[in-house]
Amino acid sequence: LTNVCFLKKLGIGRTPRLRPNPDVVSGLPCRKADGLEQVSFSDEQAVGQQDGEAGEKQEDEADDEGDPVTPTLYCFALIVPGSYEEDLVAWQYEFGVGIFACDEAAIYSNRSIQVGRSLVSGVVNIDLTAHKGGEFGTALNTDIFRAVWNQVVADARYSLYSWTVKSDPDTVFFAKRLVDVVQQYKETEKGLYINNCRMGMHGPLEVFSKNAVQTWYKGADICDLHFYKLCSGPCLWGEDMFIDQCLGPILNVKRVNYYHLLTEDHCDPPEDWRSCQDSKSVSFHPFKNLHEYQTCLASADPGMFQPGFAASGQVEAAR
């Protein structure tokens, strides 16, 4: 620590992370004048700030005052280049909503694309064309998202946070509500994940603890072989069904049910669900039109988003 003020450069697409420290006052140097008391960080905080690491404690620990540690979120989305998803994500990034309200967020695509003014995607080298089929006529996107998950693990940013969230770009998602939900769950050796629908986990919002991501990555090939034999060839499933059937029955990852995690048209929602006024719901899906997305967001949290928030002039400025 020095008495010199400095700024640290963030990578493209990264957002700054608040690190509360009662011993440091913004605008004052960390070290006082010679001969006076020196303010110091804990070893964990010092390492995290020097190396750019998150330095979080495990979620079942408490801070120095005995209070539970707030869960942290790493969130990501996959974007099809040249699609409506680019406008949606650019606007979300501009206003810090959706995945960009998480502690850290990333986007992926099959080529490097710049979304908005400064957000650049990570690259996953795979064709993003997903044909529909199988018993339920779902998008057969298991191979696509396995490649995405492999890249997420390779990038290793998820490992700095207690929970990892995969969100679709057209999902209206409230990170703060999710933090309040996962606060009640304690990490296990193999991890845990949240089932968001009585019919089985649906893909628009998937939530995994850190250990669950590691278990999934290490065991995905085991599941692939098991289901290949079971189906006498590739199972015609979407990624959400594959990972749900893999994590619980095969890899013994704890599955917890929280049906307010996702309100969507494919999971028997109430008639007025598109009003987005269910304060218990963590997310709503799908809202592919930007104006409808904004309206849902403002309706779900009118205290945060004032009238005029979804004005067309603001939308154009965000693109």
Side-chain angles (χ1 to χ4, degrees):
L1 296 176
T2 72
N3 60 355
V4 177
C5 295
F6 59 92
L7 294 174
K8 291 193 173 183
K9 181 179 179 181
L10 291 173
I12 295 176
R14 303 297 186 194
T15 54
R17 179 134 185 274
L18 180 65
R19 296 180 181 279
N21 189 319
D23 296 326
V24 175
V25 177
S26 178
L28 295 180
C30 298
R31 176 175 292 152
K32 297 183 179 180
D34 291 342
L36 298 180
E37 179 184 0
Q38 177 178 323
V39 177
S40 62
F41 292 95
S42 69
D43 291 341
E44 181 180 31
Q45 289 170 314
V47 170
Q49 295 201 359
Q50 289 173 0
D51 295 343
E53 298 177 356
E56 285 86 3
K57 301 176 183 178
Q58 291 294 326
E59 60 207 1
D60 56 347
E61 293 182 355
D63 61 19
D64 293 339
E65 297 178 355
D67 297 324
V69 173
T70 301
T72 53
L73 305 179
Y74 176 76
C75 304
F76 71 92
L78 175 67
I79 296 177
V80 177
S83 71
Y84 71 91
E85 295 175 344
E86 287 194 27
D87 279 348
L88 278 178
V89 172
W91 188 86
Q92 294 163 19
Y93 179 65
E94 183 78 12
F95 285 92
V97 298
I99 65 172
F100 303 105
C102 299
D103 296 282
E104 185 175 337
I107 61 170
Y108 291 92
S109 190
N110 63 340
R111 60 183 174 85
S112 180
I113 57 174
Q114 180 172 322
V115 177
R117 295 178 180 139
S118 59
L119 181 63
V120 177
S121 69
V123 177
V124 180
N125 187 24
I126 192 169
D127 184 357
L128 298 185
T129 303
H131 301 286
K132 291 189 176 181
E135 180 181 355
F136 305 104
T138 55
L140 305 179
N141 55 6
T142 299
D143 290 342
I144 294 173
F145 276 101
R146 279 202 61 187
V148 175
W149 276 109
N150 286 344
Q151 190 60 52
V152 168
V153 173
D155 291 343
R157 299 299 301 177
Y158 84 94
S159 65
L160 304 177
Y161 303 92
S162 45
W163 293 85
T164 296
V165 180
K166 191 219 85 175
S167 177
D168 284 355
D170 58 348
T171 300
V172 179
F173 161 51
F174 297 90
K176 175 61 171 62
R177 295 184 185 183
L178 179 58
V179 169
D180 293 339
V181 171
V182 298
Q183 182 80 62
Q184 64 186 298
Y185 302 122
K186 185 176 180 180
E187 181 69 287
T188 67
E189 181 180 356
K190 291 190 175 182
L192 67 155
Y193 71 106
I194 304 179
N195 175 39
N196 54 26
C197 180
R198 289 179 175 84
M199 305 171 190
M201 188 179 76
H202 284 192
L205 193 79
E206 300 175 357
V207 181
F208 310 86
S209 72
K210 177 165 59 178
N211 288 356
V213 174
Q214 295 169 347
T215 302
W216 155 243
Y217 176 73
K218 294 175 182 178
D221 287 339
I222 296 174
C223 293
D224 198 26
L225 180 60
H226 173 84
F227 294 133
Y228 192 89
K229 293 179 179 179
L230 182 68
C231 297
S232 300
C235 292
L236 299 180
W237 298 343
E239 172 263 356
D240 47 7
M241 184 172 179
F242 182 92
I243 198 170
D244 192 19
Q245 293 296 315
C246 173
L247 285 178
I250 308 302
L251 302 181
N252 297 315
V253 174
K254 183 177 180 180
R255 183 191 203 239
V256 296
N257 297 320
Y258 187 76
Y259 300 135
H260 291 293
L261 187 67
L262 174 67
T263 299
E264 72 150 351
D265 55 354
H266 291 161
C267 190
D268 194 23
E271 290 185 3
D272 63 344
W273 72 273
R274 288 188 69 87
S275 69
C276 303
Q277 293 183 344
D278 181 0
S279 61
K280 294 181 180 178
S281 184
V282 173
S283 64
F284 303 88
H285 174 270
F287 289 87
K288 300 179 185 297
N289 176 276
L290 183 53
H291 178 72
E292 291 181 351
Y293 186 100
Q294 295 167 329
T295 301
C296 175
L297 198 65
S299 178
D301 197 343
M304 178 180 296
F305 305 115
Q306 301 302 317
F309 170 75
S312 60
Q314 290 178 313
V315 174
E316 293 301 324
R319 290 183 178 178

